[in-house]
Amino acid sequence: MPEPSAKIIVLGSGTSVGVPTIGCHCSVCTSEDPRDKRLRPSILVTYGGRNILIDTTPDFRTQALRARIEHLDAVLFTHAHADHIMGLDDVRPFNFRQRHQIPIFAAENTMKAIQRVFQYVFEGVRKETNIPQLDPRIIDGAPIDLFGLQFLPIPILHGRDSIYGFRFGGAAYLTDHSEIPDASMDQLRDLDVLFLDALRYKPHPTHSTVDRSIKTVERLSPRRAFFTHIGHDLGHERAESLLPPHIRLAYDGLELEVNGHVPGASPIA
Ligand SMILES: [Zn+2]
Ligand SMILES: [Zn+2]
Ligand SMILES: [Zn+2]
């Protein structure tokens, strides 16, 4: 069965502290360019009337309002750092509207951390107040079939931690990483769109940089690449002017059509 075409909406393109950064007066944090205002990193994948969220950032409420998300069918987690999970409680309005549990997918260690941080959600005690209604499901690297589109977990190294990026059809979203193992590189061929962490120019122990992610793009040759998880070292306009035309900086609100059934397919829009 052919996979559906999908739309990606960038809900947040910023690093863990967001841009502008609290207390900073640098040229990027004070920039008037709306593309320099970056909430914490997350995307929404939407197809066939379904909405799949990757990560629930501390800005999730703002992001959901801004993107006018009206229902949520599943959440995939990359890892349990605060900038990727702390908005989980804000899925409650979707529970109120949908009246069923929302499946959440994460590696076992990530799920354990989520269950520790949001203990009140998972302890199985009936509450007098409303809590998120979630159906936790552990992922182990096998593809996840969600409403006709397969999401393939891609192991990537985030410093010493192994976390997941996700490939779905012709797109892949690889946030926080310092290294992509060779076996994972092999799972990233023939992409239409590749999202990569590119925190800043200077090396960082747990994140990719602009130079490093350019090299990844050169090795994988996706049709288009977008850098994300961006800090305040990169002003959108200038940083983008230094990149080749098939590599762009993601920005909050960016929407892309991707073909769910690649190799080599051209985008729909
Ligand atoms: Zn992060
Ligand atoms: Zn700054
Ligand atoms: Zn992280």
Side-chain angles (χ1 to χ4, degrees), residues 13 26 54 61 66 70 85 92 110 127 148 181 194 226 234 239 242 252 254:
S13 57
C26 79
I54 301 186
R61 176 178 173 276
R66 194 167 65 175
E70 294 189 2
I85 68 166
R92 285 180 298 141
T110 300
K127 300 283 191 305
L194 173 59
F226 291 88
L234 276 68
L242 302 172
D252 291 25
L254 172 66

mmCIF file with all atom_site columns, all heavy atoms in Angstrom, residues 13 26 54 61 66 70 85 92 110 127 148 181 194 226 234 239 242 252 254:
data_model
loop_
_atom_site.group_PDB
_atom_site.id
_atom_site.type_symbol
_atom_site.label_atom_id
_atom_site.label_alt_id
_atom_site.label_comp_id
_atom_site.label_asym_id
_atom_site.label_entity_id
_atom_site.label_seq_id
_atom_site.pdbx_PDB_ins_code
_atom_site.Cartn_x
_atom_site.Cartn_y
_atom_site.Cartn_z
_atom_site.occupancy
_atom_site.B_iso_or_equiv
_atom_site.pdbx_formal_charge
_atom_site.auth_seq_id
_atom_site.auth_comp_id
_atom_site.auth_asym_id
_atom_site.auth_atom_id
_atom_site.pdbx_PDB_model_num
ATOM 1   N N   . SER A 1 13  ? 12.176  25.534 16.493 1.00 0.00 ? 13  SER A N   1
ATOM 2   C CA  . SER A 1 13  ? 13.469  25.307 15.839 1.00 0.00 ? 13  SER A CA  1
ATOM 3   C C   . SER A 1 13  ? 14.629  25.692 16.747 1.00 0.00 ? 13  SER A C   1
ATOM 4   O O   . SER A 1 13  ? 15.773  25.734 16.310 1.00 0.00 ? 13  SER A O   1
ATOM 5   C CB  . SER A 1 13  ? 13.539  26.139 14.548 1.00 0.00 ? 13  SER A CB  1
ATOM 6   O OG  . SER A 1 13  ? 13.334  27.516 14.856 1.00 0.00 ? 13  SER A OG  1
ATOM 7   N N   . CYS A 1 26  ? 22.289  39.910 22.758 1.00 0.00 ? 26  CYS A N   1
ATOM 8   C CA  . CYS A 1 26  ? 23.064  39.776 21.511 1.00 0.00 ? 26  CYS A CA  1
ATOM 9   C C   . CYS A 1 26  ? 22.192  40.130 20.308 1.00 0.00 ? 26  CYS A C   1
ATOM 10  O O   . CYS A 1 26  ? 20.970  40.277 20.418 1.00 0.00 ? 26  CYS A O   1
ATOM 11  C CB  . CYS A 1 26  ? 23.629  38.357 21.374 1.00 0.00 ? 26  CYS A CB  1
ATOM 12  S SG  . CYS A 1 26  ? 22.444  37.119 20.815 1.00 0.00 ? 26  CYS A SG  1
ATOM 13  N N   . ILE A 1 54  ? 6.230   15.037 17.357 1.00 0.00 ? 54  ILE A N   1
ATOM 14  C CA  . ILE A 1 54  ? 7.528   14.547 17.843 1.00 0.00 ? 54  ILE A CA  1
ATOM 15  C C   . ILE A 1 54  ? 7.997   15.494 18.937 1.00 0.00 ? 54  ILE A C   1
ATOM 16  O O   . ILE A 1 54  ? 8.300   16.662 18.679 1.00 0.00 ? 54  ILE A O   1
ATOM 17  C CB  . ILE A 1 54  ? 8.565   14.422 16.714 1.00 0.00 ? 54  ILE A CB  1
ATOM 18  C CG1 . ILE A 1 54  ? 8.037   13.460 15.627 1.00 0.00 ? 54  ILE A CG1 1
ATOM 19  C CG2 . ILE A 1 54  ? 9.893   13.905 17.277 1.00 0.00 ? 54  ILE A CG2 1
ATOM 20  C CD1 . ILE A 1 54  ? 9.034   13.128 14.523 1.00 0.00 ? 54  ILE A CD1 1
ATOM 21  N N   . ARG A 1 61  ? 2.184   24.202 24.652 1.00 0.00 ? 61  ARG A N   1
ATOM 22  C CA  . ARG A 1 61  ? 0.880   24.881 24.638 1.00 0.00 ? 61  ARG A CA  1
ATOM 23  C C   . ARG A 1 61  ? 0.874   26.014 23.611 1.00 0.00 ? 61  ARG A C   1
ATOM 24  O O   . ARG A 1 61  ? -0.025  26.128 22.774 1.00 0.00 ? 61  ARG A O   1
ATOM 25  C CB  . ARG A 1 61  ? 0.544   25.424 26.035 1.00 0.00 ? 61  ARG A CB  1
ATOM 26  C CG  . ARG A 1 61  ? -0.739  26.217 26.056 1.00 0.00 ? 61  ARG A CG  1
ATOM 27  C CD  . ARG A 1 61  ? -1.073  26.705 27.468 1.00 0.00 ? 61  ARG A CD  1
ATOM 28  N NE  . ARG A 1 61  ? -2.214  27.607 27.422 1.00 0.00 ? 61  ARG A NE  1
ATOM 29  C CZ  . ARG A 1 61  ? -2.140  28.900 27.149 1.00 0.00 ? 61  ARG A CZ  1
ATOM 30  N NH1 . ARG A 1 61  ? -0.958  29.465 26.893 1.00 0.00 ? 61  ARG A NH1 1
ATOM 31  N NH2 . ARG A 1 61  ? -3.227  29.637 27.108 1.00 0.00 ? 61  ARG A NH2 1
ATOM 32  N N   . ARG A 1 66  ? -0.532  28.194 18.318 1.00 0.00 ? 66  ARG A N   1
ATOM 33  C CA  . ARG A 1 66  ? -0.014  28.898 17.152 1.00 0.00 ? 66  ARG A CA  1
ATOM 34  C C   . ARG A 1 66  ? -0.269  28.117 15.864 1.00 0.00 ? 66  ARG A C   1
ATOM 35  O O   . ARG A 1 66  ? -0.623  28.699 14.843 1.00 0.00 ? 66  ARG A O   1
ATOM 36  C CB  . ARG A 1 66  ? 1.491   29.127 17.362 1.00 0.00 ? 66  ARG A CB  1
ATOM 37  C CG  . ARG A 1 66  ? 2.125   30.100 16.436 1.00 0.00 ? 66  ARG A CG  1
ATOM 38  C CD  . ARG A 1 66  ? 3.503   30.490 16.917 1.00 0.00 ? 66  ARG A CD  1
ATOM 39  N NE  . ARG A 1 66  ? 4.455   29.358 16.914 1.00 0.00 ? 66  ARG A NE  1
ATOM 40  C CZ  . ARG A 1 66  ? 5.736   29.482 17.212 1.00 0.00 ? 66  ARG A CZ  1
ATOM 41  N NH1 . ARG A 1 66  ? 6.228   30.651 17.562 1.00 0.00 ? 66  ARG A NH1 1
ATOM 42  N NH2 . ARG A 1 66  ? 6.531   28.428 17.187 1.00 0.00 ? 66  ARG A NH2 1
ATOM 43  N N   . GLU A 1 70  ? -5.826  20.869 16.498 1.00 0.00 ? 70  GLU A N   1
ATOM 44  C CA  . GLU A 1 70  ? -7.122  20.618 17.134 1.00 0.00 ? 70  GLU A CA  1
ATOM 45  C C   . GLU A 1 70  ? -7.294  19.191 17.611 1.00 0.00 ? 70  GLU A C   1
ATOM 46  O O   . GLU A 1 70  ? -8.207  18.892 18.361 1.00 0.00 ? 70  GLU A O   1
ATOM 47  C CB  . GLU A 1 70  ? -8.247  21.016 16.174 1.00 0.00 ? 70  GLU A CB  1
ATOM 48  C CG  . GLU A 1 70  ? -8.232  22.521 15.939 1.00 0.00 ? 70  GLU A CG  1
ATOM 49  C CD  . GLU A 1 70  ? -9.425  23.032 15.169 1.00 0.00 ? 70  GLU A CD  1
ATOM 50  O OE1 . GLU A 1 70  ? -10.308 22.229 14.835 1.00 0.00 ? 70  GLU A OE1 1
ATOM 51  O OE2 . GLU A 1 70  ? -9.446  24.251 14.914 1.00 0.00 ? 70  GLU A OE2 1
ATOM 52  N N   . ILE A 1 85  ? 10.423  17.086 26.641 1.00 0.00 ? 85  ILE A N   1
ATOM 53  C CA  . ILE A 1 85  ? 9.300   16.389 27.304 1.00 0.00 ? 85  ILE A CA  1
ATOM 54  C C   . ILE A 1 85  ? 8.419   17.272 28.182 1.00 0.00 ? 85  ILE A C   1
ATOM 55  O O   . ILE A 1 85  ? 7.303   16.879 28.512 1.00 0.00 ? 85  ILE A O   1
ATOM 56  C CB  . ILE A 1 85  ? 9.790   15.200 28.175 1.00 0.00 ? 85  ILE A CB  1
ATOM 57  C CG1 . ILE A 1 85  ? 10.585  15.677 29.401 1.00 0.00 ? 85  ILE A CG1 1
ATOM 58  C CG2 . ILE A 1 85  ? 10.596  14.219 27.335 1.00 0.00 ? 85  ILE A CG2 1
ATOM 59  C CD1 . ILE A 1 85  ? 10.795  14.587 30.439 1.00 0.00 ? 85  ILE A CD1 1
ATOM 60  N N   . ARG A 1 92  ? -3.610  17.560 27.792 1.00 0.00 ? 92  ARG A N   1
ATOM 61  C CA  . ARG A 1 92  ? -4.938  17.337 28.405 1.00 0.00 ? 92  ARG A CA  1
ATOM 62  C C   . ARG A 1 92  ? -6.099  17.883 27.588 1.00 0.00 ? 92  ARG A C   1
ATOM 63  O O   . ARG A 1 92  ? -7.121  17.200 27.463 1.00 0.00 ? 92  ARG A O   1
ATOM 64  C CB  . ARG A 1 92  ? -4.963  17.893 29.835 1.00 0.00 ? 92  ARG A CB  1
ATOM 65  C CG  . ARG A 1 92  ? -4.196  17.000 30.799 1.00 0.00 ? 92  ARG A CG  1
ATOM 66  C CD  . ARG A 1 92  ? -4.229  17.540 32.198 1.00 0.00 ? 92  ARG A CD  1
ATOM 67  N NE  . ARG A 1 92  ? -3.598  18.847 32.268 1.00 0.00 ? 92  ARG A NE  1
ATOM 68  C CZ  . ARG A 1 92  ? -4.030  19.858 33.001 1.00 0.00 ? 92  ARG A CZ  1
ATOM 69  N NH1 . ARG A 1 92  ? -5.102  19.734 33.747 1.00 0.00 ? 92  ARG A NH1 1
ATOM 70  N NH2 . ARG A 1 92  ? -3.370  20.999 33.008 1.00 0.00 ? 92  ARG A NH2 1
ATOM 71  N N   . THR A 1 110 ? 13.855  6.295  27.994 1.00 0.00 ? 110 THR A N   1
ATOM 72  C CA  . THR A 1 110 ? 13.153  7.574  27.869 1.00 0.00 ? 110 THR A CA  1
ATOM 73  C C   . THR A 1 110 ? 11.788  7.494  28.554 1.00 0.00 ? 110 THR A C   1
ATOM 74  O O   . THR A 1 110 ? 11.390  8.410  29.286 1.00 0.00 ? 110 THR A O   1
ATOM 75  C CB  . THR A 1 110 ? 12.984  7.935  26.380 1.00 0.00 ? 110 THR A CB  1
ATOM 76  O OG1 . THR A 1 110 ? 14.284  8.041  25.802 1.00 0.00 ? 110 THR A OG1 1
ATOM 77  C CG2 . THR A 1 110 ? 12.230  9.234  26.177 1.00 0.00 ? 110 THR A CG2 1
ATOM 78  N N   . LYS A 1 127 ? -7.559  10.317 40.254 1.00 0.00 ? 127 LYS A N   1
ATOM 79  C CA  . LYS A 1 127 ? -7.326  11.674 40.754 1.00 0.00 ? 127 LYS A CA  1
ATOM 80  C C   . LYS A 1 127 ? -8.619  12.479 40.754 1.00 0.00 ? 127 LYS A C   1
ATOM 81  O O   . LYS A 1 127 ? -9.514  12.220 39.960 1.00 0.00 ? 127 LYS A O   1
ATOM 82  C CB  . LYS A 1 127 ? -6.329  12.409 39.842 1.00 0.00 ? 127 LYS A CB  1
ATOM 83  C CG  . LYS A 1 127 ? -4.972  11.751 39.728 1.00 0.00 ? 127 LYS A CG  1
ATOM 84  C CD  . LYS A 1 127 ? -4.147  12.018 40.965 1.00 0.00 ? 127 LYS A CD  1
ATOM 85  C CE  . LYS A 1 127 ? -2.691  11.615 40.777 1.00 0.00 ? 127 LYS A CE  1
ATOM 86  N NZ  . LYS A 1 127 ? -2.497  10.246 40.374 1.00 0.00 ? 127 LYS A NZ  1
ATOM 87  N N   . GLY A 1 148 ? -1.110  4.133  8.678  1.00 0.00 ? 148 GLY A N   1
ATOM 88  C CA  . GLY A 1 148 ? -0.685  3.966  7.294  1.00 0.00 ? 148 GLY A CA  1
ATOM 89  C C   . GLY A 1 148 ? 0.661   4.576  6.956  1.00 0.00 ? 148 GLY A C   1
ATOM 90  O O   . GLY A 1 148 ? 1.137   4.439  5.836  1.00 0.00 ? 148 GLY A O   1
ATOM 91  N N   . PRO A 1 181 ? 25.627  6.887  13.847 1.00 0.00 ? 181 PRO A N   1
ATOM 92  C CA  . PRO A 1 181 ? 26.335  5.625  13.562 1.00 0.00 ? 181 PRO A CA  1
ATOM 93  C C   . PRO A 1 181 ? 26.156  5.213  12.101 1.00 0.00 ? 181 PRO A C   1
ATOM 94  O O   . PRO A 1 181 ? 25.148  5.554  11.472 1.00 0.00 ? 181 PRO A O   1
ATOM 95  C CB  . PRO A 1 181 ? 25.645  4.612  14.491 1.00 0.00 ? 181 PRO A CB  1
ATOM 96  C CG  . PRO A 1 181 ? 24.955  5.428  15.538 1.00 0.00 ? 181 PRO A CG  1
ATOM 97  C CD  . PRO A 1 181 ? 24.613  6.737  14.893 1.00 0.00 ? 181 PRO A CD  1
ATOM 98  N N   . LEU A 1 194 ? 15.625  16.171 5.013  1.00 0.00 ? 194 LEU A N   1
ATOM 99  C CA  . LEU A 1 194 ? 16.361  15.736 6.202  1.00 0.00 ? 194 LEU A CA  1
ATOM 100 C C   . LEU A 1 194 ? 16.495  16.909 7.178  1.00 0.00 ? 194 LEU A C   1
ATOM 101 O O   . LEU A 1 194 ? 17.020  17.966 6.815  1.00 0.00 ? 194 LEU A O   1
ATOM 102 C CB  . LEU A 1 194 ? 17.756  15.237 5.799  1.00 0.00 ? 194 LEU A CB  1
ATOM 103 C CG  . LEU A 1 194 ? 18.734  14.887 6.925  1.00 0.00 ? 194 LEU A CG  1
ATOM 104 C CD1 . LEU A 1 194 ? 18.198  13.795 7.839  1.00 0.00 ? 194 LEU A CD1 1
ATOM 105 C CD2 . LEU A 1 194 ? 20.096  14.469 6.346  1.00 0.00 ? 194 LEU A CD2 1
ATOM 106 N N   . PHE A 1 226 ? 17.231  20.762 6.319  1.00 0.00 ? 226 PHE A N   1
ATOM 107 C CA  . PHE A 1 226 ? 16.908  21.889 7.198  1.00 0.00 ? 226 PHE A CA  1
ATOM 108 C C   . PHE A 1 226 ? 17.618  21.683 8.523  1.00 0.00 ? 226 PHE A C   1
ATOM 109 O O   . PHE A 1 226 ? 17.536  20.605 9.110  1.00 0.00 ? 226 PHE A O   1
ATOM 110 C CB  . PHE A 1 226 ? 15.388  21.986 7.416  1.00 0.00 ? 226 PHE A CB  1
ATOM 111 C CG  . PHE A 1 226 ? 14.650  22.395 6.182  1.00 0.00 ? 226 PHE A CG  1
ATOM 112 C CD1 . PHE A 1 226 ? 14.221  21.441 5.274  1.00 0.00 ? 226 PHE A CD1 1
ATOM 113 C CD2 . PHE A 1 226 ? 14.425  23.738 5.903  1.00 0.00 ? 226 PHE A CD2 1
ATOM 114 C CE1 . PHE A 1 226 ? 13.567  21.807 4.103  1.00 0.00 ? 226 PHE A CE1 1
ATOM 115 C CE2 . PHE A 1 226 ? 13.772  24.116 4.733  1.00 0.00 ? 226 PHE A CE2 1
ATOM 116 C CZ  . PHE A 1 226 ? 13.341  23.151 3.838  1.00 0.00 ? 226 PHE A CZ  1
ATOM 117 N N   . LEU A 1 234 ? 23.456  31.764 15.666 1.00 0.00 ? 234 LEU A N   1
ATOM 118 C CA  . LEU A 1 234 ? 23.088  31.823 14.255 1.00 0.00 ? 234 LEU A CA  1
ATOM 119 C C   . LEU A 1 234 ? 21.924  32.788 14.033 1.00 0.00 ? 234 LEU A C   1
ATOM 120 O O   . LEU A 1 234 ? 20.800  32.510 14.465 1.00 0.00 ? 234 LEU A O   1
ATOM 121 C CB  . LEU A 1 234 ? 22.666  30.435 13.747 1.00 0.00 ? 234 LEU A CB  1
ATOM 122 C CG  . LEU A 1 234 ? 23.771  29.477 13.302 1.00 0.00 ? 234 LEU A CG  1
ATOM 123 C CD1 . LEU A 1 234 ? 24.620  29.018 14.484 1.00 0.00 ? 234 LEU A CD1 1
ATOM 124 C CD2 . LEU A 1 234 ? 23.163  28.249 12.626 1.00 0.00 ? 234 LEU A CD2 1
ATOM 125 N N   . ALA A 1 239 ? 23.224  33.400 8.566  1.00 0.00 ? 239 ALA A N   1
ATOM 126 C CA  . ALA A 1 239 ? 23.641  31.987 8.584  1.00 0.00 ? 239 ALA A CA  1
ATOM 127 C C   . ALA A 1 239 ? 23.173  31.284 7.316  1.00 0.00 ? 239 ALA A C   1
ATOM 128 O O   . ALA A 1 239 ? 23.904  30.485 6.729  1.00 0.00 ? 239 ALA A O   1
ATOM 129 C CB  . ALA A 1 239 ? 23.078  31.287 9.823  1.00 0.00 ? 239 ALA A CB  1
ATOM 130 N N   . LEU A 1 242 ? 25.160  31.823 4.069  1.00 0.00 ? 242 LEU A N   1
ATOM 131 C CA  . LEU A 1 242 ? 26.440  31.118 3.968  1.00 0.00 ? 242 LEU A CA  1
ATOM 132 C C   . LEU A 1 242 ? 26.264  29.641 3.614  1.00 0.00 ? 242 LEU A C   1
ATOM 133 O O   . LEU A 1 242 ? 27.243  28.906 3.491  1.00 0.00 ? 242 LEU A O   1
ATOM 134 C CB  . LEU A 1 242 ? 27.204  31.244 5.300  1.00 0.00 ? 242 LEU A CB  1
ATOM 135 C CG  . LEU A 1 242 ? 27.481  32.678 5.766  1.00 0.00 ? 242 LEU A CG  1
ATOM 136 C CD1 . LEU A 1 242 ? 28.052  32.689 7.177  1.00 0.00 ? 242 LEU A CD1 1
ATOM 137 C CD2 . LEU A 1 242 ? 28.432  33.384 4.796  1.00 0.00 ? 242 LEU A CD2 1
ATOM 138 N N   . ASP A 1 252 ? 10.423  28.536 13.117 1.00 0.00 ? 252 ASP A N   1
ATOM 139 C CA  . ASP A 1 252 ? 9.121   28.207 13.692 1.00 0.00 ? 252 ASP A CA  1
ATOM 140 C C   . ASP A 1 252 ? 8.017   28.570 12.698 1.00 0.00 ? 252 ASP A C   1
ATOM 141 O O   . ASP A 1 252 ? 8.011   29.688 12.160 1.00 0.00 ? 252 ASP A O   1
ATOM 142 C CB  . ASP A 1 252 ? 8.897   29.000 14.984 1.00 0.00 ? 252 ASP A CB  1
ATOM 143 C CG  . ASP A 1 252 ? 9.811   28.557 16.111 1.00 0.00 ? 252 ASP A CG  1
ATOM 144 O OD1 . ASP A 1 252 ? 10.902  28.011 15.830 1.00 0.00 ? 252 ASP A OD1 1
ATOM 145 O OD2 . ASP A 1 252 ? 9.429   28.755 17.275 1.00 0.00 ? 252 ASP A OD2 1
ATOM 146 N N   . LEU A 1 254 ? 7.531   26.975 9.833  1.00 0.00 ? 254 LEU A N   1
ATOM 147 C CA  . LEU A 1 254 ? 7.845   26.438 8.497  1.00 0.00 ? 254 LEU A CA  1
ATOM 148 C C   . LEU A 1 254 ? 6.981   25.202 8.221  1.00 0.00 ? 254 LEU A C   1
ATOM 149 O O   . LEU A 1 254 ? 6.860   24.325 9.071  1.00 0.00 ? 254 LEU A O   1
ATOM 150 C CB  . LEU A 1 254 ? 9.326   26.051 8.451  1.00 0.00 ? 254 LEU A CB  1
ATOM 151 C CG  . LEU A 1 254 ? 9.814   25.294 7.209  1.00 0.00 ? 254 LEU A CG  1
ATOM 152 C CD1 . LEU A 1 254 ? 9.746   26.159 5.961  1.00 0.00 ? 254 LEU A CD1 1
ATOM 153 C CD2 . LEU A 1 254 ? 11.253  24.796 7.424  1.00 0.00 ? 254 LEU A CD2 1
#
